[in-house]
Amino acid sequence: MELVNQADLDALFEFLPCRTPEAWIQEALKQEEILLQNHCYLEQCAARNALQLMFRCPDKADVLSKMSKLAREELRHFEKVHELLTKRGYTYKILKPSRYAGLLNAEIRKKEPGQLVDSLIVGAYIEARSCERFASLAPHMDEEISAFFRSLLKSEARHFKDYLALAQRYSEEPIEERVAFFGAIERDAIETPDELFRFHSGVPA
Amino acid sequence: MELVNQADLDALFEFLPCRTPEAWIQEALKQEEILLQNHCYLEQCAARNALQLMFRCPDKADVLSKMSKLAREELRHFEKVHELLTKRGYTYKILKPSRYAGLLNAEIRKKEPGQLVDSLIVGAYIEARSCERFASLAPHMDEEISAFFRSLLKSEARHFKDYLALAQRYSEEPIEERVAFFGAIERDAIETPDELFRFHSGVPA
């Protein structure tokens, strides 16, 4: 199994505004079923988002190519999480979503090219946070889930960079300011109390 | 390259209410750019439809598994058509859609389980017709496109059977009547004059 290298992981931790709070990790260890159900759903959502970007950008060959491959990988992950979930006797269901993606998506500009650039930056945060959560959880989970999460790190770390590179490519100005803007929202979503436990939720209330 | 076997293809021709009219094939040979642009788009649509069915059926493991694999294959096809199209100097764009899918989708029942069953039957027709068009075109196209279309036949022939098997599985009654109902619409869409030339269009008007 090809694993992520530490430098890639360090770049990702540097991009994110904060690490996952310890309290979330402790809660996740008690909520394996919800964690896997929601992870499974988020892989579907990641594929759908990539596909939606493809429909919005028929003229952008690099968006089409990167997003098509990304969607295929997310679907492959979906199949694997679903298999693991079923093997453990859990039933897949779509749960009420956490506030996380909604808080980020709400701030996406409504006009192009800002809309595309922001969508790509939000995509980068979602992928990076997922990757950071896999890395944070892996040492604490049983061998099977731990190995699975580690196997996901490599592609998820690539996805975040792909999103960010496309955001810069299609922005008329440097993206640092927008990245910092969404970073502040992301940090807030991760570090403040959250009623609902989910894969991307904040500190358990 | 693993090719479709004749028995699979015969089953598909038997399922479809008619073969592609010769006039459509002759038009397609003159409209290579539109054919490839539209083919490229339809692969994206096929992936989206499969993903939408996944979101509608979190409780149906076989729908999830079949549709996830199907979506991955369609995206792989999308990438290949896009590559071929670009190599030939064409520009990918999303064209005004043909009437074909709209005519079929309009007749999908609005309540479950009929809605799911009908959606799956329509999926079967779209996949089967695509496959039949690849088979009809392949002998007439240049070597590169011909080889590509032949390579698509095998998976498209499987997709149509997957859709049909799922439709029967989730129907409370035999599906023959609904299959015949949609078959009549499909035949009409293929055999009557059509203003717009597209991958699934009728007889060129």
Side-chain angles (χ1 to χ4, degrees):
Chain A
M1 186 165 54
E2 205 189 357
L3 294 177
V4 67
N5 73 51
Q6 194 57 42
D8 279 352
L9 217 48
D10 289 344
L12 186 142
F13 294 152
E14 201 172 331
F15 169 68
L16 286 172
C18 61
R19 290 296 308 262
T20 286
E22 182 62 25
W24 183 89
I25 298 175
Q26 290 312 314
E27 186 66 21
L29 299 179
K30 290 182 239 159
Q31 305 254 28
E32 186 179 286
E33 181 167 12
I34 288 184
L35 187 76
L36 292 177
Q37 285 170 335
N38 194 222
H39 175 192
C40 200
Y41 174 66
L42 293 173
E43 297 287 1
Q44 263 188 268
C45 293
R48 179 174 60 186
N49 289 344
L51 204 51
Q52 281 170 346
L53 281 167
M54 291 169 67
F55 278 100
R56 280 167 56 189
C57 302
D59 57 327
K60 297 178 175 63
D62 49 0
V63 172
L64 294 174
S65 145
K66 294 281 184 195
M67 290 300 123
S68 183
K69 285 180 189 67
L70 188 145
R72 288 197 286 114
E73 285 182 358
E74 305 291 16
L75 286 165
R76 191 73 195 91
H77 295 170
F78 164 81
E79 292 162 32
K80 286 183 183 174
V81 193
H82 191 273
E83 201 176 303
L84 179 67
L85 189 148
T86 308
K87 191 176 156 193
R88 298 207 166 198
Y90 303 139
T91 304
Y92 178 50
K93 44 185 149 187
I94 296 179
L95 306 167
K96 181 170 181 261
S98 74
R99 65 187 186 183
Y100 180 82
L103 287 169
L104 292 166
N105 287 330
E107 299 300 327
I108 290 173
R109 283 170 285 178
K110 304 286 176 273
K111 274 191 187 164
E112 297 298 3
Q115 190 171 33
L116 175 63
V117 172
D118 287 358
S119 301
L120 292 164
I121 293 172
V122 167
Y125 274 111
I126 295 174
E127 293 286 344
R129 179 58 65 190
S130 302
C131 194
E132 189 267 344
R133 294 233 144 148
F134 294 134
S136 301
L137 285 168
H140 303 282
M141 311 294 282
D142 62 60
E143 208 177 316
E144 187 179 39
I145 299 196
S146 179
F148 177 50
F149 282 1
R150 285 181 213 277
S151 77
L152 296 177
L153 286 178
K154 198 173 171 69
S155 56
E156 300 291 343
R158 186 162 29 75
H159 293 169
F160 121 79
K161 285 192 283 187
D162 285 346
Y163 269 115
L164 216 52
L166 290 171
Q168 185 54 76
R169 159 104 201 253
Y170 291 105
S171 176
E172 288 162 352
E173 56 217 354
I175 58 171
E176 284 67 22
E177 206 178 303
R178 290 307 283 174
V179 168
F181 170 75
F182 283 106
I185 299 166
E186 214 269 344
R187 175 179 209 133
D188 208 50
I190 294 299
E191 291 194 332
T192 61
D194 197 339
E195 293 293 329
L196 216 54
F197 172 77
R198 294 290 182 266
F199 192 80
H200 288 132
S201 58
V203 176
Chain B
M1 185 166 52
E2 205 188 359
L3 293 178
V4 68
N5 72 53
Q6 194 56 44
D8 280 352
L9 217 48
D10 289 343
L12 186 141
F13 295 152
E14 201 172 331
F15 169 68
L16 285 172
C18 62
R19 288 298 306 262
T20 285
E22 182 61 26
W24 183 89
I25 297 174
Q26 291 311 315
E27 186 66 20
L29 299 179
K30 291 183 241 157
Q31 306 254 27
E32 185 178 286
E33 182 168 12
I34 289 183
L35 187 76
L36 291 177
Q37 285 170 334
N38 195 222
H39 176 192
C40 200
Y41 175 67
L42 293 173
E43 297 287 0
Q44 264 188 267
C45 294
R48 180 175 58 185
N49 289 345
L51 204 51
Q52 280 170 346
L53 281 168
M54 290 169 67
F55 277 100
R56 279 167 58 190
C57 302
D59 58 327
K60 298 180 175 63
D62 50 359
V63 172
L64 293 173
S65 145
K66 294 280 184 198
M67 290 300 124
S68 183
K69 285 181 188 66
L70 187 145
R72 287 197 287 114
E73 284 182 358
E74 306 289 18
L75 286 165
R76 191 74 195 90
H77 296 171
F78 165 81
E79 292 162 32
K80 286 183 182 172
V81 193
H82 192 272
E83 202 178 303
L84 180 67
L85 189 146
T86 307
K87 191 175 156 193
R88 299 208 165 197
Y90 302 138
T91 304
Y92 177 48
K93 45 185 149 188
I94 296 179
L95 306 166
K96 182 170 180 259
S98 74
R99 65 187 184 183
Y100 181 82
L103 287 170
L104 291 166
N105 287 329
E107 300 300 328
I108 290 173
R109 283 170 285 178
K110 304 287 176 273
K111 274 190 187 165
E112 298 297 3
Q115 189 171 32
L116 175 64
V117 172
D118 286 358
S119 300
L120 292 164
I121 292 171
V122 167
Y125 273 112
I126 295 174
E127 294 286 344
R129 180 58 66 190
S130 302
C131 194
E132 189 268 342
R133 293 234 145 148
F134 294 132
S136 301
L137 285 168
H140 303 282
M141 311 295 282
D142 62 60
E143 208 175 316
E144 188 180 38
I145 300 196
S146 178
F148 177 50
F149 282 1
R150 284 182 214 275
S151 78
L152 296 177
L153 285 178
K154 198 173 170 72
S155 55
E156 300 292 344
R158 185 163 27 78
H159 292 169
F160 121 80
K161 285 192 283 186
D162 284 347
Y163 269 114
L164 216 52
L166 290 172
Q168 185 53 76
R169 160 102 201 254
Y170 291 106
S171 176
E172 288 160 353
E173 57 217 354
I175 58 172
E176 283 68 21
E177 205 179 302
R178 290 306 283 173
V179 168
F181 170 75
F182 283 106
I185 298 166
E186 214 269 342
R187 176 179 210 134
D188 208 51
I190 293 299
E191 291 193 333
T192 63
D194 197 340
E195 292 294 330
L196 215 55
F197 172 77
R198 294 291 183 265
F199 193 81
H200 288 131
S201 57
V203 177

